[in-house]
Amino acid sequence: MNQNKIILYPSNWLYNSGVVGFLRVLEYKKFKIEELISLGKSVILDRCAIKESYCRIFEYHENILKEKFAIWGKNKRYPNYIQTGQKDFFKNHYIPALQKVEKNKDKKCSWCEGYFIPQNELVELKKAFNGDFSNFMEQREKFQGIHFAGLGAAITEIPNSFWNLNNSTPICHLCSYFVIFNHLAFIKTSEGEIFINAPDFKLIWDLNKFAEEVLQKSKEYEIRKIFGSSLLQWAIKRRALLGAWTMMNIEVVVKKWHKEEKRWIIDYFDLPEERTKILLDNKIANLIERIDEERIFDLILTGKFSELEKANYFVLKTILKLKNSEKISENDPIRKYFKKLDLIYLQKISNILPQLYIKILEKIRR
Ligand SMILES: [Zn+2]
């Protein structure tokens, strides 16, 4: 294995969102991300990416988010992650040392394989540090709520299958660095900020990109629809098969700011397994896309599959009416299913709907 690379495997959502935020910063300004990163099920990272990401995280906030970002002293996102006086030390000494992380047989990380700054580097770091160095380093080896603006509290309260956390979970130096990127992976929606998590980094990257594209169409889409559309787009564009275990572990992490209590509330959303399976099927996804009608998509998202048969019945009736130049009344049942009521479109639909229904039934039976 190339000594210069670090391999990151998917872990819990906080870690994954940290890595995705980190990738976003690297991707910013069309930076040659592929030279530093290889993005697959796992992420293979060139060590220089660490320093690059630290320079760019501030630029990214200023230019893209129009926000002044800080990790020192009192700040909005990561209060006291470091102290104001440690700013230069962190940039000029700590970050370069962080590029040299390696596995340590005596220390463990609860999130990843464990990447720690080597002992000889720590000796050098200590020389450059002003104050209680061991206390400073201790903070980089524990996940503590206080460092992450209310997020810690929200996390400890909610059980999650990936999550195994107590008040101070041991983490490694690299993980404690990735944490400060996690907010960048979240996408704003009308129901809170979301991050689509999965046990595969390329899949996470794609699904969240597709979710952002869906939101370009309407900011008001509910999470169910954003998530469903994102799965659908993945099936259409990637044409790959996912293992059952991977499919079962795709979920949306929803982060809402509780104004009165001044802390984040974390919630999870997922679709029943059979619906995820349906949306991730390339053939089914293409049929849904060709129908291009939100109301039909909603039926599938809410699992009302048998309504597709009903819808088709009304499509056929409407085709007859249109052929006979009959007017379609305002309360005609077809309007429950379709907005567009022209003959050519409905004829096309009358071909697709039965196919779609059969494909869905096949998928569920399996
Ligand atoms: Zn770690």
Side-chain angles (χ1 to χ4, degrees):
M1 199 193 82
N2 192 333
Q3 274 293 311
N4 245 338
K5 310 275 180 186
I6 296 170
I7 306 179
L8 312 173
Y9 299 98
S11 178
N12 63 65
W13 68 258
L14 184 61
Y15 174 82
N16 293 352
S17 59
V19 172
V20 168
F22 171 83
L23 295 180
R24 288 200 171 202
V25 167
L26 289 174
E27 188 203 30
Y28 161 62
K29 268 189 170 177
K30 296 207 169 46
F31 190 63
K32 288 177 204 132
I33 184 172
E34 52 299 323
E35 276 178 23
L36 289 181
I37 305 282
S38 140
L39 179 60
K41 188 178 166 60
S42 55
V43 174
I44 304 170
L45 196 76
D46 199 284
R47 286 170 185 275
C48 336
I50 294 170
K51 207 169 158 189
E52 280 297 338
S53 67
Y54 191 68
C55 302
R56 279 164 203 276
I57 191 171
F58 300 98
E59 227 179 285
Y60 184 92
H61 280 83
E62 216 166 308
N63 297 340
I64 304 284
L65 306 178
K66 313 285 173 211
E67 172 191 326
K68 214 154 182 61
F69 180 64
I71 53 168
W72 45 85
K74 277 187 192 168
N75 69 78
K76 180 173 135 195
R77 296 194 185 271
Y78 305 100
N80 298 312
Y81 180 79
I82 57 172
Q83 298 310 313
T84 310
Q86 296 162 349
K87 219 168 118 178
D88 290 339
F89 166 80
F90 196 79
K91 186 180 171 208
N92 301 327
H93 299 276
Y94 187 82
I95 293 292
L98 196 61
Q99 297 212 128
K100 296 176 184 156
V101 284
E102 57 184 32
K103 286 174 196 165
N104 182 317
K105 61 176 173 17
D106 301 320
K107 287 177 179 173
K108 276 212 160 66
C109 173
S110 317
W111 296 357
C112 79
E113 296 198 297
Y115 287 99
F116 294 89
I117 297 171
Q119 197 51 43
N120 58 330
E121 290 293 329
L122 286 176
V123 173
E124 291 304 312
L125 274 184
K126 193 178 175 181
K127 286 183 199 159
F129 190 80
N130 237 330
D132 189 343
F133 184 64
S134 60
N135 181 46
F136 175 84
M137 287 313 296
E138 236 170 65
Q139 289 184 341
R140 314 295 115 201
E141 294 172 13
K142 277 178 192 164
F143 177 75
Q144 293 161 309
I146 51 158
H147 291 136
F148 310 112
L151 195 58
I155 289 164
T156 45
E157 281 160 22
I158 290 161
N160 175 300
S161 52
F162 290 124
W163 211 258
N164 184 12
L165 191 84
N166 48 46
N167 284 337
S168 55
T169 301
I171 56 174
C172 69
H173 299 152
L174 197 57
C175 283
S176 94
Y177 177 63
F178 285 145
V179 162
I180 61 168
F181 292 84
N182 87 83
H183 63 284
L184 298 175
F186 280 80
I187 305 164
K188 282 201 181 74
T189 79
S190 58
E191 294 174 271
E193 293 184 22
I194 62 163
F195 169 69
I196 305 178
N197 192 33
D200 178 320
F201 273 122
K202 178 78 172 90
L203 182 62
I204 298 175
W205 182 257
D206 281 346
L207 289 177
N208 285 286
K209 287 266 165 177
F210 294 144
E212 274 188 311
E213 281 172 32
V214 172
L215 276 160
Q216 305 275 315
K217 280 191 229 158
S218 167
K219 293 257 176 285
E220 298 308 312
Y221 279 152
E222 53 175 345
I223 289 170
R224 184 202 307 273
K225 189 168 254 169
I226 299 165
F227 182 40
S229 306
S230 174
L231 294 175
L232 196 77
Q233 286 308 311
W234 194 89
I236 291 167
K237 289 177 180 147
R238 298 289 174 254
R239 302 162 163 269
L241 285 175
L242 290 178
W245 188 82
T246 304
M247 273 197 236
M248 267 166 57
N249 285 298
I250 305 176
E251 65 176 355
V252 186
V253 181
V254 188
K255 208 169 79 172
K256 287 179 201 165
W257 181 250
H258 196 296
K259 266 189 195 150
E260 287 78 42
E261 293 179 25
K262 291 204 165 113
R263 64 183 183 99
W264 291 101
I265 307 228
I266 305 291
D267 215 341
Y268 302 92
F269 176 87
D270 63 5
L271 285 170
E273 201 186 329
E274 61 171 31
R275 272 176 249 168
T276 307
K277 253 162 91 178
I278 287 168
L279 294 169
L280 282 171
D281 182 283
N282 173 266
K283 287 203 179 90
I284 294 177
N286 274 309
L287 294 174
I288 297 172
E289 177 105 326
R290 277 170 63 202
I291 291 173
D292 187 29
E293 169 54 65
E294 281 190 26
R295 291 167 193 183
I296 297 294
F297 186 46
D298 286 339
L299 291 181
I300 294 162
L301 277 179
T302 48
K304 293 174 186 152
F305 308 128
S306 57
E307 285 240 0
L308 295 174
E309 243 190 335
K310 250 200 217 161
N312 197 47
Y313 169 76
F314 291 115
V315 168
L316 296 173
K317 273 189 99 170
T318 310
I319 290 174
L320 271 181
K321 285 181 192 168
L322 290 172
K323 277 186 174 163
N324 295 330
S325 310
E326 270 178 56
K327 210 173 165 266
I328 311 295
S329 73
E330 275 315 307
N331 50 15
D332 193 294
I334 189 72
R335 295 193 190 272
K336 196 180 145 199
Y337 303 104
F338 290 93
K339 273 179 240 132
K340 213 178 345 170
L341 295 181
D342 73 77
L343 186 57
I344 293 169
Y345 172 72
L346 290 179
Q347 277 171 332
K348 182 182 101 178
I349 296 304
S350 71
N351 271 320
I352 303 172
L353 266 183
Q355 287 181 53
L356 175 64
Y357 186 51
I358 288 166
K359 285 255 177 291
I360 287 177
L361 290 185
E362 282 172 4
K363 198 83 202 171
I364 299 172
R365 267 190 221 127
R366 230 175 278 152

